C-alpha cells in the first residue's frame, strides 16, 4: 500500500471547459491511493499566508465533470505572474516563493499540481527550481503548446465556434450578408482553422497566413457571382494583414489584449464590395459552458496522470498528450514553445481543397 500523502492542486490562468474534469480525476486517483487532496483557491494566490484552501474529496467533486469553469477559482493576476507579454519571463520575488513554501509546509503538502497555460507553467517551473515538488498540467483553449498534441478546452472552444457558424449561416443567407466572426487563439490560428472548417466557413483568416483585404473582397465577389449571396468569414483575433500588425491594445499588466480585427475586416469588405456586412465577436463564450465529451475524457486522463507522476517521484514534469497516449515532458521544455499552424500543413490544404480562402 502507498504511504499516505497530502497533495495540493490549483487552477491558474484563464478558465476553460475541462478544468473540473481534471480536478475530479486528481481526487479520484489520489483517493484510490489513500492520499488527501487540498485545493488552493484562486490559483497560486491561494498559497499566500494564511493559505486559502479547501479539502477536495470524492463527495465534494461529485457531479462537477460536466461543469465549465473551476470550482476552486482561478486568476491570471497577482503575486505569482511569471510571464508578461509574449514570452517574457519575470522572476517571482524570493519572499513570495518562501511564503508559498511556508504555507505548503504548514499544511503538510508533499507535492503540488498546477493546472494552467504557458504563464502558469512558467510559475510552476520557478517553484520547482526553488525546490517545491511540482507537477504541471497544460491548459489552454488555444491548443498552442508545442509539448502536447492537444490540450483540454480546445475541443469545447471549437464546438462553440462551429455552433455559432451554424446559427450565422441562416441569418446570413436570409439577408444575403457577409458575416465576420472573430474568435480567440492569440498568436495561433488553431481555433479559427478547426472551428471554421467544422462550421462551414467560406474564408478563414489566421495569424500564420497574412491576408490581403483585396483578396478577401475578391473571394466575396466570386461567391456573389456564383449565386452564393452570403459569405461567412472566421477571423482569429491575432490575424494580420500582409506587412501589417495585429490589432491589439496594451493593458497595465503588460499583457497584450488582441481584438478588433473582425470589425476592421468587416468594414473593408463593405467598403470594397458594397455588401452589407455584420460582425460577431465570440469572446469569452468560447471559454464557458459544459466541456465536450472529448475534453471531459482528456481532462480526466490528465488528472490521473498527474497523480501517477507524483507516485513515481517525477517532479518538474508536465503531463503531455502524444500519439493518443498521456505521457510527460519536463516543464522547462514545455514553456515558451508555441505551436503554430504551418501554412502548408494538411489541415490548411484540406480547407483549400474544399474551397475555403485564406485571403492570401
Amino acid at each position: 500500500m502507498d504511504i499516505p500523502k497530502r497533495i495540493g492542486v490549483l487552477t491558474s490562468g484563464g478558465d476553460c471547459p475541462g478544468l473540473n474534469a481534471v480536478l475530479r480525476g486528481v481526487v479520484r486517483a489520489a483517493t484510490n491511493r489513500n492520499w488527501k487532496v487540498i485545493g488552493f483557491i484562486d490559483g497560486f494566490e491561494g498559497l499566500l499566508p494564511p493559505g486559502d484552501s479547501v479539502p477536495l474529496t470524492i463527495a465534494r467533486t461529485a457531479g462537477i465533470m460536466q461543469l465549465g469553469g473551476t470550482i476552486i477559482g482561478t486568476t491570471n493576476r497577482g503575486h505569482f505572474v511569471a510571464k508578461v507579454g509574449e514570452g517574457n519571463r519575470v522572476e517571482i520575488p524570493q519572499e513570495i516563493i518562501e511564503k508559498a513554501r511556508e504555507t505548503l509546509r504548514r499544511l503538510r503538502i508533499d507535492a503540488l499540481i498546477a493546472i494552467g497555460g504557458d504563464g502558469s507553467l512558467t510559475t510552476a517551473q520557478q517553484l520547482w527550481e526553488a525546490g517545491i515538488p511540482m507537477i504541471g498540467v497544460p491548459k489552454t483553449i488555444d491548443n498552442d503548446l508545442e509539448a502536447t498534441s492537444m490540450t483540454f478546452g480546445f475541443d469545447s472552444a471549437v464546438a462553440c465556434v462551429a455552433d455559432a457558424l451554424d446559427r450565422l449561416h441562416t441569418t446570413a443567407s436570409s439577408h444575403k450578408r457577409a458575416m465576420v466572426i472573430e474568435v480567440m487563439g492569440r498568436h495561433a490560428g488553431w481555433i479559427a482553422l478547426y472551428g471554421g472548417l467544422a462550421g462551414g466557413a467560406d474564408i478563414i483568416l489566421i495569424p500564420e497566413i497574412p491576408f490581403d483585404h483585396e483578396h478577401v473582397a475578391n473571394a466575396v465577389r466570386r461567391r456573389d457571382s456564383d449565386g452564393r449571396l452570403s459569405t461567412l468569414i472566421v477571423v482569429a483575433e491575432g490575424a494580420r494583414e500582409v506587412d501589417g500588425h495585429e490589432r491589439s491594445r496594451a493593458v497595465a499588466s503588460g499583457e497584450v489584449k488582441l481584438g478588433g480585427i473582425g470589425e476592421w475586416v468587416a468594414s473593408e469588405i463593405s467598403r470594397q464590395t458594397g455588401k452589407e456586412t455584420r460582425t460577431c465577436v465570440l469572446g469569452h463564450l468560447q471559454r464557458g459552458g459544459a466541456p465536450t465529451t472529448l475534453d471531459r475524457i482528456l481532462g480526466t486522463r490528465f488528472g490521473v496522470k498527474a497523480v501517477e507522476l507524483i507516485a513515481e517521484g517525477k517532479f518538474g514534469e508536465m503531463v503531455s498528450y502524444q500519439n493518443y497516449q498521456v505521457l510527460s515532458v519536463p516543464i522547462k521544455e514545455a514553456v515558451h514553445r508555441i505551436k503554430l499552424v504551418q501554412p502548408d500543413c494538411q489541415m490548411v490544404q484540406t480547407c483549400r481543397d474544399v474551397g475555403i480562402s485564406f485571403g492570401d
Side-chain angles (χ1 to χ4, degrees), residues 156-169:
S156 297
V158 168
C160 177
V161 174
D163 178 68
L165 286 169
D166 288 346
R167 296 169 184 273
L168 290 174
H169 271 292

Side-chain angles (χ1 to χ4, degrees), residues 141-142 154 157-158 161 183-185 188-196 234 286:
I141 65 171
D142 303 336
F154 172 66
V158 168
V161 174
V183 305
M184 286 180 167
W190 297 107
I191 294 177
L193 184 65
Y194 276 68
V234 175
Q286 295 156 91

Side-chain angles (χ1 to χ4, degrees), residues 40-337:
F40 288 96
I41 305 301
D42 293 340
F44 290 100
E45 295 298 298
L47 298 176
L48 294 178
D52 194 359
S53 63
V54 60
L56 294 181
T57 63
I58 287 182
R60 189 182 289 270
T61 55
I64 68 170
M65 183 166 58
Q66 65 269 35
L67 302 179
T70 165
I71 63 169
I72 56 176
T74 185
T75 182
N76 51 12
R77 298 290 182 267
H79 299 82
F80 290 87
V81 174
K83 177 174 174 286
V84 176
E86 187 178 354
N88 300 314
R89 171 168 161 153
V90 176
E91 296 298 322
I92 301 171
Q94 189 61 36
E95 60 267 27
I96 296 298
I97 293 179
E98 291 307 318
K99 288 180 179 180
R101 193 196 310 276
E102 177 56 33
T103 297
L104 294 171
R105 183 183 299 117
R106 180 173 52 80
L107 293 175
R108 295 180 288 112
I109 302 297
D110 299 302
L112 181 62
I113 299 170
I115 309 167
D118 184 55
S120 300
L121 292 173
T122 299
T123 299
Q125 174 63 22
Q126 290 193 36
L127 296 184
W128 163 238
E129 291 170 357
I132 297 174
M134 295 293 308
I135 297 294
V137 175
K139 175 265 342 161
T140 170
I141 65 171
D142 303 336
N143 201 39
D144 61 353
L145 290 179
E146 183 67 46
T148 181
S149 60
M150 181 173 287
T151 54
F152 65 88
F154 172 66
D155 188 65
S156 297
V158 168
C160 177
V161 174
D163 178 68
L165 286 169
D166 288 346
R167 296 169 184 273
L168 290 174
H169 271 292
T170 55
T171 184
S173 60
S174 295
H175 292 273
K176 301 179 178 61
R177 289 172 175 158
M179 303 290 292
V180 178
I181 178 172
E182 182 180 310
V183 305
M184 286 180 167
R186 289 188 61 77
H187 308 291
W190 297 107
I191 294 177
L193 184 65
Y194 276 68
L197 179 59
D202 307 301
I203 301 170
I204 299 175
L205 306 180
I206 61 176
E208 297 88 343
I209 304 178
F211 68 93
D212 185 290
H213 282 294
E214 186 173 349
H215 292 165
V216 173
N218 286 338
V220 174
R221 292 190 188 98
R222 282 194 299 272
R223 288 184 55 79
D224 281 357
S225 64
D226 290 341
R228 295 173 290 179
L229 302 182
S230 64
T231 300
L232 291 186
I233 303 100
V234 175
V235 185
E237 62 184 358
R240 64 187 75 197
E241 305 166 51
V242 176
D243 299 327
H245 300 285
E246 303 161 324
R247 296 274 162 174
S248 63
R249 59 183 176 86
V251 295
S253 66
E255 199 72 21
V256 174
K257 294 291 186 183
L258 298 174
I261 186 66
E263 192 64 42
W264 179 248
V265 168
S267 66
E268 282 296 302
I269 290 174
S270 180
R271 184 182 68 82
Q272 294 194 33
T273 68
K275 193 173 187 66
E276 188 177 7
T277 310
R278 294 288 186 272
T279 308
C280 177
V281 180
L282 280 189
H284 285 77
L285 287 172
Q286 295 156 91
R287 290 191 179 278
T292 60
T293 54
L294 176 60
D295 281 340
R296 298 180 197 194
I297 292 169
L298 193 59
T300 300
R301 294 180 69 186
F302 276 18
V304 170
K305 183 64 176 180
V307 172
E308 181 182 312
L309 291 174
I310 293 175
E312 296 172 350
K314 293 183 177 179
F315 300 113
E317 293 277 304
M318 183 196 83
V319 175
S320 174
Y321 186 67
Q322 303 170 27
N323 298 320
Y324 300 101
Q325 300 297 311
V326 180
L327 308 171
S328 70
V329 297
I331 297 175
K332 65 180 179 181
E333 294 182 8
V335 296
H336 305 320
R337 289 175 52 195

